[in-house]
Amino acid sequence: MTVKEIFETMDYGPAPESAGDALAWLVDQGDRFGHFIGGDWTEVGETFESRNPATGEVLAHLTQGTQAEVDAAVAAARKAQPKWAKLGGAGRARVLYALARLVQKHARLLAVLETMDNGKPIREARDIDVPLVARHFYYHAGLAQLMESEAPGMEPLGVCGQVIPWNFPLLMLAWKIAPAIAAGNTVVLKPAEYTSLTALCFADICRQAGVPAGVVNIVTGDGAVGEMIVTHEGVDKVAFTGSTDVGRIIRRATAGQGKSLTLELGGKGPYVVFDDADLDSAIEGLVDAIWFNQGQVCCAGSRLLVQEGVAERFHEKLKARMDKLRMGNPLDKSIDVGAVVDPVQLETIKGLVDSSGGEVYRAACEVPEGCFYPPTLITGLSPSDRLMQEEIFGPVLVSTTFRTPEEAVQLANNTRFGLAASVWTENLNLALGMAPKLVAGVVWVNGTNMFDAAAGFGGVRESGFGREGGWEGLSAYLKPAGKAKPLAPVKAMAGKGDPAGDALDRTAKNYVGGKQARPDGGYSRGVFTPQGKLIGHVGIGNRKDIRNAVEAAQGAKGWSGTTGHLRAQILYYIAENLEARADEFANRINTMSGARNGKAEVAAAVSRLFTYGAWADKYAGDLRSVPIRGMALAVREPVGVIGALCPDDVPLLGLVSVMAPAIAMGNRVVLVPSEPFPLAATDFYQVLETSDVPGGVVNIVTGAHKELAGTLAAHLDVDAVWSFSSSDLSAEIEEKSAGNLKRTWVNNGLARDWMGAAGEGRVFLDQSTEVKTVWVPYGE
């Protein structure tokens, strides 16, 4: 094509990127790879092929991992970890800086290798993925440098098992490895079976950067290898990015093992366009949102919601833009849409589209032979249609319309996912009003697919839990220094059901929806002093009582929208009313337990209420420094409904220590109080009744922890479960929480000093909140 022809037709000419250096690197490695364990390559074992999805060409043969090789990788990581942690943050920072610089030096090699292995356009690998990889290592080098001063009293978790997907092979590696090693952990990482080559190239870079042997280990193979890693008893932390179904399996497989867990799972992101939006800009953003990386993006804007008045015009403009997208050789720099990663994934996409209803429009662009699928738009679907609810993970967009902002919110949130959302409008008040209402971990205003190492990324609901990036991402790889003591089970006092003297008999009730409620089962049990004297009866709650309490908590959603100042005033009021009855509560605690520390426990509970009253209007988030003309707001939002099994040994302080941070941050709670000493809690709800606590914000159901834990954990309207019971119920809670992938915070059989510093602080506030990152670009 001549220059004259280009000007006359305005067609793109080919602009192929040379694959020579990448192919030479593969040849230098012999096109056959073992694992990277203990700083060296292992012998090549049984292999599988890594293919270029655009051409079908075999690029290399990779070793299928075995249990023995996973054991060796974990052992190497375990051996290296103490010395790596002892190096200190400043020492680790130098290594991370070296990794960042070497990624930049080998940027073109990595980009080409990524495109050949994954099928994404070279422009995306070159201009987005690889620069972000370098950015993550630079940023986390800085966090490592600052860790001792900014995270005192924290230490690394140990050995981290990490499993990453095939859609962003090198970028996901950086998201996982950078914070882990910055914090002083060591890593065993399994790249995706389809796309392992850039991970192996990164292993080569680790050697060049002077990463000590065993700090980074890479084992290749299929899903069975991932299972070996995440369930390995030598792994202390599991980080997984992938499908929701696999995330649910991992949650169940690791239940009760005491492992820290981060899950970044699927999504069905809403892309909301209001009638006052710049429609042309919104269409360009939509091209990036859904056809970036062939739609193989967990946070893709795959559900288009357009305001009714402009929907027809928007769809016509969109179809015209789709027809101009270019598909072809991903190494061609003028290509917009590359190859789907594998024939298996291609068949999945075809099957989903072919079985759908609605009106299907496929772009009129030329579709090459091989693993390619054209950009597709499907309209006319109902909100409950399978394709409006399920992740397609391909270049397929589904669309519907809305009339009002309220309807847009309902449609946007009408899914089990909650990863990312985009809002397009020229009305900034409307955009910022929408952002807190959207159930998503990330909200982009007049933009999409904005990422940075400083801004936390992650989901809610069945999009997983935990954040990657920012200080919150680093904290997922840290724990309090020191060793906790094992739990000591606390048993209820035994006695006979003798009359309680001249006092009137009183059976304490549950507290549900702001009212005292008799237990559904109609059963109660006696509560005795250490001398066997009956001091009262308490109801035995069951699953119906939990259901009623959760319904009441869901009905109190307005609490999450109140100001921190109002929540603080109510916490102060609770503290004042509790202190006014301090002697009564102290006597009750002493009578039940036979101890003499009731006065100190009440004083600590009052102090704790004041502490969280003080935090209520101060723990709101911050502004992140990101490399755009705009802002990234890290907003702390309440988790929702939190079910909690309260500590047994400190019946009043334990309940207050769980309740206060949760409601201070805007959550509603369902509390199961101390099982052996429940009367402190049933006296405490009298304080709540006189302290202006709205009905449903705090609900108390007495009963056996073991009987009620599973019900709380399995309830789909509970967003998080905490367990501080002296009975170790961690395994059951974590296993049953997999139903809706709710967050869990369990004690794993370890005790906590509730009277000391461990009984309060930021960790409780962190567990009470989710970080939502709201990106707001500005300027023309």
Side-chain angles (χ1 to χ4, degrees), residues 153-436:
M154 303 298 285
E155 66 182 16
L157 294 167
V159 175
C160 301
Q162 302 179 328
V163 180
I164 60 175
W166 43 258
N167 55 341
F168 292 92
L170 187 62
L171 183 56
M172 291 298 99
L173 174 148
W175 283 23
K176 298 287 189 292
I177 289 181
I181 65 175
N185 303 280
T186 53
V187 167
V188 178
L189 178 136
K190 190 199 89 69
E193 182 181 4
Y194 295 154
T195 55
S196 300
L197 295 184
T198 47
L200 297 171
C201 189
F202 179 79
D204 201 16
I205 288 173
C206 285
R207 296 210 299 185
Q208 297 175 44
V211 177
V215 171
V216 174
N217 305 273
I218 295 174
V219 182
T220 55
D222 58 15
V225 179
E227 183 180 1
M228 294 174 198
I229 292 173
V230 301
T231 59
H232 200 288
E233 62 181 10
V235 168
D236 304 296
K237 157 85 180 183
V238 171
F240 171 77
T241 296
S243 74
T244 294
D245 289 341
V246 175
R248 192 174 282 114
I249 291 169
I250 290 173
R251 171 70 286 180
R252 292 189 175 113
T254 58
Q257 295 184 357
K259 291 180 170 71
S260 177
L261 184 59
T262 298
L263 298 175
E264 195 263 280
L265 307 175
K268 193 69 178 175
Y271 191 95
V272 185
V273 180
F274 285 93
D275 57 9
D276 68 338
D278 180 336
L279 298 188
D280 291 325
S281 294
I283 284 171
E284 289 306 310
L286 185 55
V287 168
D288 182 43
I290 182 58
W291 294 303
F292 173 61
N293 198 24
Q294 297 71 253
Q296 299 168 132
V297 184
C298 52
C299 57
S302 55
R303 279 188 303 145
L304 171 62
L305 312 178
V306 190
Q307 198 155 18
E308 200 170 88
V310 295
E312 184 176 350
R313 183 154 57 101
F314 189 88
H315 285 145
E316 288 303 314
K317 283 176 170 282
L318 177 59
K319 290 173 183 177
R321 183 67 180 90
M322 290 169 63
D323 291 344
K324 291 181 172 61
L325 293 173
R326 292 170 56 90
M327 298 187 70
N329 176 12
L331 283 173
D332 187 337
K333 291 184 280 289
S334 67
I335 289 301
D336 298 306
V337 182
V340 173
V341 72
D342 188 83
V344 173
Q345 181 64 16
L346 180 64
E347 289 305 313
T348 299
I349 297 168
K350 287 180 177 178
L352 286 168
V353 175
D354 291 346
S355 64
S356 74
E359 180 182 332
V360 178
Y361 182 84
R362 293 181 175 87
C365 56
E366 184 178 342
V367 181
E369 291 292 324
C371 238
F372 292 87
Y373 195 85
T376 300
L377 169 67
I378 304 177
T379 55
L381 301 176
S382 68
S384 62
D385 190 282
R386 182 185 180 191
L387 294 193
M388 291 290 287
Q389 295 291 328
E390 298 297 326
E391 189 175 36
I392 301 171
F393 224 63
V396 180
L397 175 69
V398 295
S399 180
T400 191
T401 61
F402 66 90
R403 292 182 178 179
T404 65
E406 292 74 20
E407 186 182 2
V409 169
Q410 291 177 352
L411 287 169
N413 293 340
N414 182 27
T415 174
R416 58 195 175 97
F417 298 108
L419 189 55
S422 294
V423 178
W424 289 79
T425 172
E426 293 297 285
N427 184 340
L428 189 58
N429 287 333
L430 175 60
L432 296 181
M434 287 283 293

Side-chain angles (χ1 to χ4, degrees), residues 41 206 541 627 729:
W41 299 102
C206 285
L729 302 169

Side-chain angles (χ1 to χ4, degrees), residues 740-754:
N740 66 343
L741 287 165
K742 60 174 64 68
R743 287 174 54 171
T744 61
W745 187 22
V746 296
N747 54 20
N748 292 307
L750 299 175
R752 181 180 291 268
D753 179 10
W754 291 99

Side-chain angles (χ1 to χ4, degrees), residues 18-177:
S18 172
D21 287 347
L23 291 172
W25 181 81
L26 291 170
V27 170
D28 288 345
Q29 307 299 316
D31 293 340
R32 298 174 68 83
F33 291 85
H35 310 297
F36 185 71
I37 296 175
D40 209 350
W41 299 102
T42 65
E43 293 292 325
V44 177
E46 180 183 344
T47 63
F48 59 94
E49 293 176 341
S50 179
R51 290 179 175 267
N52 182 331
T55 65
E57 173 191 3
V58 176
L59 298 172
H61 293 82
L62 311 180
T63 297
Q64 169 66 32
T66 65
Q67 184 65 61
E69 288 163 332
V70 170
D71 291 344
V74 173
R78 179 65 63 195
K79 181 180 179 182
Q81 196 275 324
K83 189 174 180 181
W84 178 244
K86 192 176 180 181
L87 185 62
R92 295 193 297 274
R94 295 177 68 88
V95 177
L96 276 107
Y97 279 127
L99 284 170
R101 288 193 295 271
L102 283 164
V103 167
Q104 289 179 318
K105 290 176 182 178
H106 297 295
R108 191 57 62 96
L109 168 65
L110 291 167
V112 173
L113 198 59
E114 191 83 318
T115 290
M116 291 169 60
D117 201 25
N118 170 272
K120 65 175 60 186
I122 184 65
R123 291 185 304 107
E124 296 176 5
R126 180 196 64 196
D127 299 342
I128 299 172
D129 292 23
V130 175
L132 265 175
V133 170
R135 165 68 174 155
H136 271 267
F137 282 104
Y138 274 125
Y139 179 82
H140 285 92
L143 290 188
Q145 183 78 27
L146 300 174
M147 205 179 87
E148 273 85 3
S149 62
E150 298 302 313
M154 303 298 285
E155 66 182 16
L157 294 167
V159 175
C160 301
Q162 302 179 328
V163 180
I164 60 175
W166 43 258
N167 55 341
F168 292 92
L170 187 62
L171 183 56
M172 291 298 99
L173 174 148
W175 283 23
K176 298 287 189 292
I177 289 181

